[in-house]
DNA sequence: GATCCGTGGCA
DNA sequence: TTGCCAAGGAT
């Protein structure tokens, strides 16, 4: 059931007019990706910002542009270079799709991004909302976005109380969003303004309705319960998974393997993973050197609590032993390689793995206490 | 349609 | 401690 946005019935400024005027005066204008209408830069920002907050993206965006200044440079780069710059941002399929998209733009579109949302949405990693954002920002196309911010703003303004977990209802909201669009001249400010409203005033928990340009026209504010929107039933049951990891070191080098192309951290470099501590111990039993269990720690994902159990094995020196070890390692992990600690940043590592390896001094210190029989 | 895919911040 | 989720998309 949709209560009507009352500004329309009252003959006052339309929702779009209010949002456009507010954005131009009070919205955000200094974000790095707002200084341009270059589709490459806008596209990069939109992909990085998917399910990711602005403050997190800022540093990644600048580093990425410095290394890949245009779509041709990105398309020509090795995927490992892309993943290395994406490491820590999460949702790594975005990085792989980003790379594939750049290559498609070069190969299929003459090196230029398509100028309309419909064609943009055919490219890897660009869905309906992202395509619309690029088309609106770069080409003034009259097309609606519907991300988390806009869902919140529109459901509140319209009093749209139907469950967005139901596809039919979300489709209805898309249609409503399209019906609210201003003329093309206002598309940039309108699109940006909806997101600015959702990110600043119209927040999830404590919306600042007093400062909102929609004022008393907002149905949710009239009802006095803006926090009740949007309605979205969720059954997020978090599961647990155990990761037994082998930190295999030899001198200043560490053995890294490429993770499978599917599943968590797909395609990134990480430590060899085992099904159990026993399986890991069986594998290293015949290798020269010393084995130490490191402290277990938890890494929390949206749907998953990961329990990471790292075991460190320091391979002893010795030409014969090293040759045998390398042969077995190469056989067991064909895509593995010895990486110098100083070169770790050149590899895309999952955040908890980078954190683990970066805390080596701390962990080794803790381990020494264990060796001496002292409590941690 | 339901599930999967990261990380960090916040209450 | 736990839940929630942010400029979503692919399968």
């Amino acid at each position: 059931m949709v209560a009507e946005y009352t500004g329309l019935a009252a003959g006052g400024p339309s929702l779009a007019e209010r949002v456009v005027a507010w954005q131009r005066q009070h919205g955000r204008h200094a974000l790095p990706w707002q200084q341009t209408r270059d589709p490459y830069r806008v596209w990069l920002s939109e992909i990085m910002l998917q399910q990711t907050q602005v403050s997190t993206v800022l540093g990644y965006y600048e580093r990425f542009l410095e290394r890949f200044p245009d779509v041709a440079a990105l398309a020509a780069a090795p995927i490992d270079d892309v993943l290395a710059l994406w490491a820590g941002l999460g949702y790594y399929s975005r990085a792989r799709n980003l790379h594939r998209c750049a290559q498609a733009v070069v190969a299929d579109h003459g090196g230029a991004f398509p100028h309309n949302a419909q064609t943009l949405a055919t490219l890897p990693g660009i869905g309906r909302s992202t395509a619309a954002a690029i088309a609106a920002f770069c080409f003034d196309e009259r097309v609606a976005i519907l991300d988390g911010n806009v869902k919140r703003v529109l459901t509140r303004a319209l009093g749209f109380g139907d469950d967005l977990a139901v596809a039919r209802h979300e489709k209805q909201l898309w249609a409503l969003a399209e019906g609210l669009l201003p003329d093309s001249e206002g598309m940039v400010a309108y699109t940006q303004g909806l997101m600015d409203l959702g990110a600043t005033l119209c927040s999830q928990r404590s919306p600042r309705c007093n400062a909102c340009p929609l004022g008393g026209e907002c149905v949710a504010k009239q009802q006095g319960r803006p926090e009740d929107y949007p309605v979205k039933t969720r059954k997020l049951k978090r599961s647990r998974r155990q990761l037994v990891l082998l930190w295999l070191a030899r001198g200043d080098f560490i053995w890294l393997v490429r993770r499978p192309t599917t599943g968590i951290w797909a395609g990134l470099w990480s430590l060899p993973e085992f099904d159990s501590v026993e399986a890991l111990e069986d594998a290293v039993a015949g290798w020269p050197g010393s084995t130490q269990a490191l402290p277990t720690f938890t890494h929390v994902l949206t749907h998953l609590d990961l329990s990471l159990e790292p075991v460190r094995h320091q391979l002893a020196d010795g030409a014969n032993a090293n040759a045998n070890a390398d042969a077995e390692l190469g056989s067991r992990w064909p895509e593995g390689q010895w990486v110098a600690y100083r070169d770790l940043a050149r590899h895309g590592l999952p955040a908890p793995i980078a954190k683990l390896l970066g805390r080596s001094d701390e962990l080794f210190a803790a381990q020494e206490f264990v060796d001496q029989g002292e409590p941690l």
Side-chain angles (χ1 to χ4, degrees), chain A residues 313-356:
Chain A
H313 184 87
Q314 182 73 42
L315 273 179
D317 287 331
N320 274 348
N322 282 341
N324 290 339
D326 283 353
E328 182 176 345
L329 294 175
S331 170
R332 191 188 280 262
W333 297 285
E335 288 199 83
Q337 60 177 245
W338 289 106
V339 176
Y341 282 104
R342 74 168 69 86
D343 291 333
L344 280 178
R346 297 175 58 245
H347 292 68
L349 298 172
I353 303 301
K355 190 177 300 182
L356 170 67

Side-chain angles (χ1 to χ4, degrees), chain A residues 188-255:
Chain A
V188 172
Y190 177 71
T191 303
Q192 186 66 50
L194 284 180
M195 293 192 290
D196 289 353
L197 268 180
T200 58
L201 301 182
C202 197
S203 60
Q204 179 75 19
R205 287 191 179 79
S206 50
R208 296 162 53 195
C209 297
N210 290 339
C212 180
L214 303 185
E217 314 294 345
C218 174
V219 172
K221 183 184 179 186
Q222 294 170 15
Q223 296 172 340
R225 301 171 61 88
E227 302 89 341
D228 288 352
Y229 298 90
V231 176
K232 193 164 38 177
T233 61
R234 71 172 53 260
K235 25 188 175 282
L236 175 70
K237 55 176 182 181
R238 179 174 292 163
S239 56
R240 291 182 167 276
R241 191 186 305 172
Q242 181 189 48
L243 288 186
V244 177
L245 302 169
L246 170 61
W247 178 343
L248 183 62
R250 184 167 67 194
D252 293 332
F253 290 80
I254 184 169
W255 182 254

Side-chain angles (χ1 to χ4, degrees), chain A residues 11-93:
Chain A
S14 70
L15 180 146
E17 288 167 341
R18 290 173 183 265
V19 170
V20 167
W22 176 84
Q23 203 285 328
R24 287 177 173 156
Q25 188 170 2
H26 302 288
R28 298 176 292 188
H29 297 90
L31 296 171
W33 41 87
Q34 292 182 290
Q35 310 298 323
T36 178
R37 302 189 78 179
D38 176 359
Y40 173 72
R41 295 183 172 233
V42 173
W43 163 68
L44 177 63
S45 76
E46 291 299 329
I47 302 299
M48 284 190 167
L49 287 161
Q50 286 172 359
Q51 301 288 283
T52 309
Q53 294 183 340
V54 168
S55 57
T56 303
V57 166
L58 288 172
Y60 283 89
Y61 183 75
E62 299 296 349
R63 284 192 298 274
F64 203 96
L65 274 181
E66 190 172 338
R67 170 66 179 82
F68 306 116
D70 53 51
V71 68
L74 177 56
I79 181 61
D80 272 347
D81 288 9
V82 180
L83 287 173
L85 278 177
W86 202 274
L89 253 190
Y91 285 141
Y92 298 98
S93 65

Side-chain angles (χ1 to χ4, degrees), chain A residues 222-376:
Chain A
Q222 294 170 15
Q223 296 172 340
R225 301 171 61 88
E227 302 89 341
D228 288 352
Y229 298 90
V231 176
K232 193 164 38 177
T233 61
R234 71 172 53 260
K235 25 188 175 282
L236 175 70
K237 55 176 182 181
R238 179 174 292 163
S239 56
R240 291 182 167 276
R241 191 186 305 172
Q242 181 189 48
L243 288 186
V244 177
L245 302 169
L246 170 61
W247 178 343
L248 183 62
R250 184 167 67 194
D252 293 332
F253 290 80
I254 184 169
W255 182 254
L256 296 185
V257 301
R258 186 189 295 284
R259 291 189 57 85
T261 53
T262 59
I264 191 95
W265 304 322
L268 270 66
W269 291 89
S270 187
L271 303 181
E273 181 183 339
F274 289 81
D275 293 334
S276 67
V277 174
E278 291 73 22
L280 186 153
E281 289 174 341
D282 287 346
V284 304
W287 299 346
S290 58
T291 307
Q292 305 167 320
L294 299 177
T296 295
F297 62 101
T298 300
H299 184 72
V300 178
L301 284 65
T302 303
H303 297 276
L304 198 60
D305 278 355
L306 288 177
S307 174
L308 282 73
E309 304 191 14
V311 177
R312 184 168 172 273
H313 184 87
Q314 182 73 42
L315 273 179
D317 287 331
N320 274 348
N322 282 341
N324 290 339
D326 283 353
E328 182 176 345
L329 294 175
S331 170
R332 191 188 280 262
W333 297 285
E335 288 199 83
Q337 60 177 245
W338 289 106
V339 176
Y341 282 104
R342 74 168 69 86
D343 291 333
L344 280 178
R346 297 175 58 245
H347 292 68
L349 298 172
I353 303 301
K355 190 177 300 182
L356 170 67
L357 300 182
R359 284 181 180 169
S360 57
D361 292 343
E362 187 179 323
L363 283 169
F364 291 154
Q367 193 59 37
E368 286 176 17
F369 283 114
V370 172
D371 290 344
Q372 295 164 8
E374 299 290 336
L376 276 173

